[in-house]
Amino acid sequence: MLDGHLPLGWLCCTLIVLLSSSPPPTSAYFGLTGSEPLSVLPSSTQGEERVPHAHYKLCDRLKLERKQRRMCRRDPGVAETLAEAISISALECQYQFRFERWNCTLEGRYRANLLKRGFKETAFLYAISSAGLTHAMAKACSAGRMERCTCDEDPDLENRKAWQWGGCGDNLKYSNKFVKDFLGKRSNKDLRARVDIHNSNVGMKVIKAGVETTCKCHGVSGSCTVQTCWRQLAPFHEIGKQLKQRYEASVKVGSSTNEATGEGGISQPRAPGQPQPPGLPGPVGPRPDPIPRTTDLLHIEDSPNFCRPSKFSSGTTARKCHKDKNCEAICCGRGHNTQSRVVTRPCQCQVRWCCYVECKQCSQKEEVYTCKG
């Protein structure tokens, strides 16, 4: 989390230098919201797993702060779960933005520069990162990869039976507790810090809202004399889809001050002359701006267009696009090139008794469209 130590009036024009000018943050970044170059770290091999404390090396490679490193080291399953969280978050981000001008470019310098600003894209990165960590940890518990959690923290007989029947629920309770403790208490002294905390919480809330209950019947001839139920998280693709929708509807906010307490808050700025929405309590005279919903993604400044190379992205020159669908938008009106090529793919596949599939090789001509420079 960015801990700005400058007055709010200077915030918008000084965000870009906060990382270099402010004291070290109270809470280290993690994964997509990290200051280190993003890399999908390999899982440890079987040989490494037999070496005591082999996971320490992976914890060190994640460049965590002291408390986070300690949490990583105390359970061998945490290190690989953190690496998995980075991987699924990065891949889902790139999938959701594959047809956009900003295609979730996560090379170190681009990501670091984005994280210095308060764009919609920054909001999505914080949300998908916390969602990925929450999802990966809950799944790791139910898969038995963790020493400190299982599918259910209540060790009574019924839960052991549920395990036998394949009814091991994802442990969202432990995951939420771990993620909040792992991210730590973060400063909320300025608008940017409060917005980052809010967007991280949105990612966790979307995970929680996607929990579904699955039940399985046991009994003679399929009768439901005994029923085992467990909770499962929604597939991470669905989480990414919902966060992308929240990105599209992201709310631009400013700061507000509660006159009664003197504490700062977040509000949605109104256009000049826009009336106060009805139903909001307040004293006679000027009323506070409406407070955004807790499920909205928030940003504090408008995004660049990402058309040309900049410190935020490599631009859209030579990017592939789909004719009549998104070439005009992605190519920013510069037009696109068309290239023909012949591709060979398996076709007319048939299953042969008993154990293999036989295919022919078919060649076809296809056109590839790329944005002009």
Side-chain angles (χ1 to χ4, degrees):
M1 198 61 54
L2 288 176
D3 293 338
H5 298 279
L6 299 176
L8 287 177
W10 294 88
L11 183 63
C12 291
C13 61
T14 56
L15 280 174
I16 194 169
V17 297
L18 280 179
L19 285 182
S20 59
S21 61
S22 61
T26 58
S27 179
Y29 296 98
F30 166 72
L32 293 183
T33 52
S35 57
E36 75 286 352
L38 179 72
S39 60
V40 179
L41 301 172
S43 299
S44 61
T45 63
Q46 292 182 353
E48 290 176 333
E49 289 175 352
R50 291 192 293 267
V51 178
H53 308 306
H55 61 287
Y56 281 18
K57 183 181 297 185
L58 184 51
C59 292
D60 294 339
R61 291 174 63 190
L62 288 169
K63 299 182 180 179
L64 307 172
E65 70 162 12
R66 183 179 301 175
K67 176 186 175 182
Q68 293 174 330
R69 188 181 301 111
R70 185 169 62 249
M71 293 179 65
C72 181
R73 288 183 169 189
R74 72 186 184 188
D75 190 327
V78 170
E80 289 194 14
T81 301
L82 296 179
E84 179 185 354
I86 296 174
S87 177
I88 64 173
S89 300
L91 293 175
E92 188 60 30
C93 181
Q94 291 163 357
Y95 176 80
Q96 293 297 334
F97 287 86
R98 65 196 185 282
F99 300 133
E100 308 285 341
R101 288 181 183 174
W102 180 70
N103 59 346
C104 196
T105 305
L106 293 174
E107 285 82 359
R109 68 184 185 93
Y110 295 135
R111 183 170 54 94
N113 288 325
L114 275 174
L115 291 169
K116 297 175 186 177
R117 308 296 291 267
F119 301 143
K120 292 168 58 177
E121 293 72 24
T122 313
F124 185 88
L125 287 179
Y126 273 92
I128 197 71
S129 181
S130 63
L133 180 53
T134 305
H135 197 278
M137 182 57 65
K139 289 289 185 181
C141 290
S142 61
R145 298 198 303 266
M146 304 289 296
E147 292 183 354
R148 290 176 172 260
C149 66
T150 63
C151 56
D152 199 316
E153 294 179 295
D154 189 2
D156 61 16
L157 180 61
E158 290 300 317
N159 288 320
R160 290 200 295 273
K161 287 184 177 179
W163 180 285
Q164 294 172 1
W165 285 110
C168 183
D170 297 323
N171 198 333
L172 185 59
K173 180 179 179 180
Y174 179 89
S175 178
N176 279 333
K177 182 179 183 302
F178 176 89
V179 173
K180 289 178 180 179
D181 193 25
F182 186 82
L183 295 180
K185 294 182 180 179
R186 292 161 286 176
S187 170
N188 60 353
K189 293 181 180 179
D190 60 34
L191 174 63
R192 171 61 199 274
R194 292 194 296 272
V195 166
D196 290 345
I197 294 171
H198 173 93
N199 290 328
S200 294
N201 289 336
V202 169
M204 299 175 66
K205 289 176 181 177
V206 170
I207 293 289
K208 183 177 181 180
V211 174
E212 296 181 351
T213 300
T214 302
C215 294
K216 193 171 186 178
C217 290
H218 320 296
V220 180
S221 300
S223 65
C224 208
T225 54
V226 179
Q227 189 179 43
T228 301
C229 298
W230 61 94
R231 300 197 308 169
Q232 288 184 318
L233 303 186
F236 200 63
H237 267 318
E238 181 60 30
I239 303 302
K241 179 180 178 181
Q242 292 188 36
L243 288 177
K244 178 62 159 53
Q245 292 171 348
R246 283 167 170 75
Y247 161 87
E248 299 290 352
S250 179
V251 178
K252 186 177 182 180
V253 297
S255 61
S256 63
T257 302
N258 187 321
E259 295 181 1
T261 64
E263 294 179 353
I266 298 174
S267 65
Q268 183 177 353
R270 295 194 305 271
Q274 179 182 350
Q276 172 71 20
L280 291 177
V284 178
R287 295 183 177 180
D289 292 325
I291 300 175
R293 296 175 300 178
T294 59
T295 55
D296 290 329
L297 284 183
L298 307 180
H299 64 281
I300 59 178
E301 56 182 322
D302 296 331
S303 302
N305 59 27
F306 299 106
C307 289
R308 295 291 184 180
S310 70
K311 58 186 177 182
F312 304 117
S313 78
S314 57
T316 63
T317 299
R319 274 277 303 281
K320 289 184 179 179
C321 60
H322 297 267
K323 187 179 180 181
D324 302 327
K325 288 186 179 180
N326 64 350
C327 280
E328 182 67 21
I330 287 186
C331 300
C332 306
R334 301 189 305 267
H336 59 272
N337 298 314
T338 303
Q339 182 180 6
S340 297
R341 66 180 183 183
V342 177
V343 294
T344 302
R345 296 189 179 95
C347 63
Q348 301 179 24
C349 297
Q350 294 181 337
V351 178
R352 299 298 185 185
W353 182 260
C354 72
C355 305
Y356 70 97
V357 177
E358 187 177 81
C359 299
K360 294 183 179 179
Q361 295 295 315
C362 298
S363 297
Q364 64 182 44
K365 186 178 181 180
E366 68 176 22
E367 292 184 334
V368 178
Y369 307 99
T370 55
C371 293
K372 292 183 178 180

